Amino acid sequence: MSNLQLRVISAVVLAVVTLGLTWLGGLPFRLLCAAMAAVIFYEWTRMSRPVAPAGVNATKGLGFLPEALIVVFVGALIAGLPASLLLPLVAALVAVTAIAASMRKAGPWEASGLAYAAVSGLSLAFLRDGDRSGLLAILFLFAVVWATDIFAYFVGRSVGGPRLAPSISPGKTRSGALGGVVGGVVAGLLLAAVAGTGNLVVLGVVALVLSIVAQAGDLFESWVKRRHGHKDSGTLIPGHGGIMDRVDGLVAAAFALYVIGWISATADHPAQGLFPV
């Protein structure tokens, strides 16, 4: 089986599973978010932790403390803690990791990885919630991010031109980035129109922001991989690499949409501010 066939099959399977759990919402979707956060943390630490040469003691680490703390977060997310409790808990877990890393001179990557994984999981979980507003918010997010990826790829290949960030991701072009933004906005507006929402102008601006943030999230993950000398974040998905390679833009855009929804509604039900029902 060719690499292209593997990519297509794995992408279809992932899309079907993700959309199915998105439709269900509630606990099934929280389980998906929790699993994603755990794998993101695993891949992040796998890339960032130094590997000692044979016969040499490893540099000072934090033992299993970061793993224990991500387990605490995962349990809290699955249990459905409200944002008023979960957000302070995440801040405390990250602070504990950062303090421990500072005392052990272990560097900032453990704490930043915990923050990245936790924010990724909680943003998606709170956006979806369990109502129709949450479903529309997640489908809107998927439409914008997926269309951004697709249009950026094909426009970049067709038009070419100056590189967007050659030192971070040499394959990305400015034309592709612009094409991705246009495609993301159009896809978001089409979904909003089909869903019957009335605030299309606002959602068009939100789609524009999400498309830009998604591409920035993609570049950020590329920078992290390049910083630690890795081509892929992992090998979990055949033909694609790791989970982080697939959701880098999505989780960045999800956090942006969560913050926008929080400002317009509440931290527990952010989707209701943008997609009132």
Side-chain angles (χ1 to χ4, degrees):
M1 186 177 294
S2 68
N3 186 61
L4 177 60
Q5 290 174 317
L6 280 174
R7 288 177 63 88
V8 172
I9 292 172
S10 58
V12 170
V13 171
L14 280 173
V16 170
V17 171
T18 301
L19 289 173
L21 293 174
T22 299
W23 178 265
L24 293 173
L27 177 60
F29 191 76
R30 289 202 307 274
L31 288 169
L32 173 65
C33 295
M36 184 191 69
V39 175
I40 286 175
F41 182 72
Y42 166 75
E43 292 182 347
W44 180 289
T45 53
R46 172 185 167 274
M47 290 191 296
S48 62
R49 285 176 180 169
V51 178
V56 178
N57 291 331
T59 56
K60 287 184 178 181
L62 303 183
F64 290 105
L65 176 63
E67 282 77 7
L69 296 181
I70 194 68
V71 169
V72 171
F73 166 75
V74 165
L77 185 64
I78 293 173
L81 259 64
S84 59
L85 296 178
L86 190 58
L87 290 171
L89 175 63
V90 170
L93 297 178
V94 173
V96 168
T97 308
I99 293 170
S102 177
M103 294 174 62
R104 299 277 294 177
K105 299 186 178 357
W109 293 101
E110 300 283 351
S112 57
L114 181 58
Y116 182 80
V119 167
S120 298
L122 72 84
S123 296
L124 286 165
F126 281 119
L127 279 171
R128 175 58 184 94
D129 204 10
D131 54 18
R132 184 172 183 271
S133 294
L135 177 61
L136 291 178
I138 291 293
L139 293 179
F140 177 80
L141 175 70
F142 287 167
V144 172
V145 174
W146 291 350
T148 296
D149 284 346
I150 293 169
F151 276 81
Y153 176 77
F154 284 107
V155 171
R157 283 179 63 90
S158 302
V159 178
R163 302 299 175 185
L164 179 64
S167 63
I168 299 175
S169 186
K172 291 180 172 57
T173 62
R174 296 176 187 176
S175 63
L178 180 59
V181 167
V182 173
V185 171
V186 170
L189 287 175
L190 283 175
L191 186 138
V194 170
T197 59
N199 51 344
L200 292 182
V201 174
V202 173
L203 291 178
V205 175
V206 172
L208 173 65
V209 172
L210 296 186
S211 182
I212 294 172
V213 171
Q215 296 189 63
D218 191 337
L219 288 174
F220 171 72
E221 196 249 359
S222 295
W223 174 79
V224 171
K225 290 189 296 186
R226 187 171 289 269
R227 170 68 173 74
H228 296 289
H230 286 264
K231 181 179 182 294
D232 297 315
S233 65
T235 58
L236 184 62
I237 308 174
H240 289 272
I243 290 294
M244 283 179 63
D245 295 317
R246 288 293 85 206
V247 302
D248 46 12
L250 178 68
V251 296
F255 178 61
L257 185 58
Y258 175 70
V259 172
I260 293 170
W262 184 356
I263 293 171
S264 60
T266 67
D268 282 302
H269 308 288
Q272 294 179 3
L274 295 171
F275 298 92
V277 293

